[in-house]
Amino acid sequence: MSAATAATFPADADPSFPRTRDWIRRAPAQGGVERIEAFFQHNGYALHRHDTYAIGRTLAGVQSFHYRHSVRNSLPGGTMVLHPDESHDGQAGTEEGFRYRMIYVEPALFQAALGGKPLPFIEGGLSTDPRLAAATEALLPGIDRAMDPLEQDDALFDLAHALDAVSGARPLRASADYRAAMLARDYLHAALERPVTLDELAAASGRDRWSLSRDFRAFFGTSPHRYLTMRRLDAARRAMLGGTPLVDAAAAAGFADQSHMTRHFAAAYGVTPSRWLRMLAAQAR
């Protein structure tokens, strides 16, 4: 798209933020949901994939990204819905850059609302459906406003059902075992600092190895190993935000060393840990 198609910054844009320096504003994670607002003028994120839904909207400019073998362009007014474990990146579609807000939602939260139904999938990652726009609005207030826990839970319930309605998801196979997948997930949460085998998960869930592996992917959008790695990255990010040196954050989260953690971090978030911290610091200056 040409620069002429880029939208101007909306009325709620804070004029104190520089438009020529990339930045991220991050609200504290709350109940399995992370909220960010960010501005990028050139390349934002390298190709990466994480195990949460990424749902949001472009506030200004053209937000371009590769997703499912095509380039998508998000403009103000639409809704982005990126499915867990789908590779994507992010860059400015025009010289003016782009500004956006996004929420990252653990699939388990939608499962709690949908009761073990298939995870909703929005083809192409972009939607103009007003049901999604309305349901997303409640979860995308300004980053400076904390959400009441009950407010967030109600909004997540509405968003889960809006996604389910818009996606028109097909039913899962009859043999899929939601309870077994939940037991395996609970086991992983209790074993973040040590290696875990699929045999252990099978024993804990009462399901055979490969059926459990299929069920886990169907209900939570990723493999058991990737899920465990992402929870370790969550722990590492919390430590980094608290001022823990990268090498110590990596060790405490169960990674072999800092380089091991950095490789997984970049693959999951599209930036290195040090760049992520610099962009968070940029908006604080």
Side-chain angles (χ1 to χ4, degrees), residues 41 52 58 60 66 103 114 121 132 139 143 161 166 173 189 200 216 220 247 257 264 276 279:
Q41 190 164 26
T52 58
T58 303
H66 291 84
I103 54 172
L114 297 175
F121 181 83
L132 275 184
L139 286 160
I143 295 301
H161 286 275
V166 173
R173 64 188 187 283
H189 276 269
E200 284 181 70
F216 198 97
F220 299 122
V247 63
D257 51 34
H264 281 292
W276 179 68
M279 288 190 295

Side-chain angles (χ1 to χ4, degrees), residues 47-151:
L47 201 66
H48 64 285
R49 59 191 178 105
H50 37 74
D51 71 334
T52 58
Y53 277 92
I55 302 172
R57 60 188 52 173
T58 303
L59 301 178
V62 180
Q63 183 172 356
S64 298
F65 57 97
H66 291 84
Y67 186 73
R68 293 182 65 80
H69 312 297
S70 296
V71 177
R72 318 293 181 179
N73 293 294
S74 174
L75 300 173
T79 305
M80 293 176 284
V81 182
L82 308 186
H83 195 272
D85 241 12
E86 287 287 349
S87 295
H88 58 281
D89 57 10
Q91 54 271 326
T94 69
E95 294 180 357
E96 286 79 2
F98 67 96
R99 176 171 167 247
Y100 72 102
R101 286 181 188 155
M102 191 77 78
I103 54 172
Y104 299 91
V105 183
E106 294 180 8
L109 296 178
F110 288 151
Q111 284 294 358
L114 297 175
K117 295 180 69 174
L119 287 176
F121 181 83
I122 304 300
E123 185 63 41
L126 296 171
S127 175
T128 58
D129 194 292
R131 292 171 292 181
L132 275 184
T136 304
E137 181 67 27
L139 286 160
L140 289 173
I143 295 301
D144 293 330
R145 185 176 82 77
M147 294 192 70
D148 177 83
L150 183 58
E151 174 191 20

